[in-house]
Amino acid sequence: MSLLPHYIHIVNPKLKHIYLTLNDEGELVIKSPKVSTRRIEKLLLKKSSWISNARKRFQAKKGKSIDFSQESELYFLGESHRLVLYPYDKQRTKLHFDGDIFTLYYSHYDENTFQKHIDTFYKNEAKKYIPEHVEKWAETMGVKPKAIGFRKTKRQWGSCSANNTLSFNTMMMKLPLDVIQYIIVHELAHITHKHHQKAFWQCVAMYLPEYKKQIHILKNFTT
């Protein structure tokens, strides 16, 4: 039996070095130019401690993808809530949240359908919550976004385009309220500062003096 970890190898001839990362499912991904299997194996042995620590950090993250085959939880506004799958005789799948427990009612077991209902819940909550807070902070900061959009993404919590359109990840609704406020202020600050240089962070600190605390909390969550 091999002592080497399972990994996904992506060959890109344009790369000059070998890169190790974990994807959104916690799988080890190796990106490299064309190299021998022997070289990959030597690197895996050399980086065994890094791989182990990276996986521990991933397992500790909150809000990971749901495994519907076992007891699961959903995060909402920073709090963990149990997710219960409940079979019933009606045809329509529905997700109900009573403030304490999420219950997925279903007649046909379909994990893709379950995930769509969860995604819809987060999107609807984001549309209810975020615009009013963007408006409040925009007035406070003296800026005006062109528009606000919502979508589920795997990498970014938010973005600000060149024409000042803000886009927010609907998975933000997993996060504590203070962290959501930080993301909103962060993106609004980009209307004035299209970079992450000193002036940008000074702008963020002006409105959220403890923003570094929110960044630390944010790192404990995954999209």
Side-chain angles (χ1 to χ4, degrees), residues 4 7 11 31 78 85 92 105 113 162 170 173 180 188 210 223:
L4 296 174
Y7 62 89
V11 177
K31 298 180 181 180
L85 270 61
R92 189 170 70 91
Y105 296 91
T113 299
T170 54
M173 301 312 295
I180 294 174
L188 286 170
E210 296 187 349
T223 57

Side-chain angles (χ1 to χ4, degrees), residues 75-104:
Y75 275 83
F76 180 55
L77 298 180
E79 298 292 331
S80 171
H81 300 274
R82 190 158 64 98
L83 172 64
V84 176
L85 270 61
Y86 189 88
Y88 75 149
D89 56 6
K90 296 183 180 180
Q91 291 299 311
R92 189 170 70 91
T93 299
K94 67 176 183 178
L95 176 66
H96 175 71
F97 179 54
D98 65 5
D100 181 29
I101 296 173
F102 284 93
T103 305
L104 256 171

Side-chain angles (χ1 to χ4, degrees), residues 15-131:
L15 294 176
K16 294 183 179 180
H17 304 285
I18 303 175
Y19 300 91
L20 275 64
T21 59
L22 296 185
N23 65 16
D24 297 312
E25 283 70 47
E27 298 172 306
L28 179 63
V29 177
I30 300 174
K31 298 180 181 180
S32 74
K34 189 175 181 179
V35 295
S36 68
T37 301
R38 175 65 177 160
R39 186 175 173 187
I40 294 293
E41 291 176 346
K42 287 178 67 176
L43 180 66
L44 289 175
L45 291 172
K46 181 180 178 181
K47 294 290 187 179
S48 60
S49 294
W50 180 91
I51 294 169
S52 176
N53 290 332
R55 283 179 164 165
K56 287 177 182 177
R57 289 193 299 271
F58 178 83
Q59 289 301 322
K61 280 184 175 288
K62 302 173 183 178
K64 295 189 296 292
S65 297
I66 299 168
D67 182 352
F68 293 101
S69 67
Q70 56 184 295
E71 187 171 317
S72 301
E73 61 185 12
L74 289 177
Y75 275 83
F76 180 55
L77 298 180
E79 298 292 331
S80 171
H81 300 274
R82 190 158 64 98
L83 172 64
V84 176
L85 270 61
Y86 189 88
Y88 75 149
D89 56 6
K90 296 183 180 180
Q91 291 299 311
R92 189 170 70 91
T93 299
K94 67 176 183 178
L95 176 66
H96 175 71
F97 179 54
D98 65 5
D100 181 29
I101 296 173
F102 284 93
T103 305
L104 256 171
Y105 296 91
Y106 71 96
S107 59
H108 173 66
Y109 188 94
D110 184 337
E111 294 188 357
N112 288 330
T113 299
F114 297 164
Q115 188 61 57
K116 286 179 182 177
H117 278 75
I118 291 168
D119 291 347
T120 298
F121 170 82
Y122 284 128
K123 186 173 185 177
N124 289 341
E125 292 298 318
K127 286 183 173 180
K128 284 193 294 185
Y129 178 84
I130 293 175

Side-chain angles (χ1 to χ4, degrees), residues 136-154:
K136 181 194 77 171
W137 280 110
E139 183 177 351
T140 299
M141 297 169 69
V143 295
K144 187 173 182 179
K146 182 177 181 180
I148 304 172
F150 301 93
R151 60 195 178 103
K152 180 184 178 182
T153 65
K154 290 188 174 183

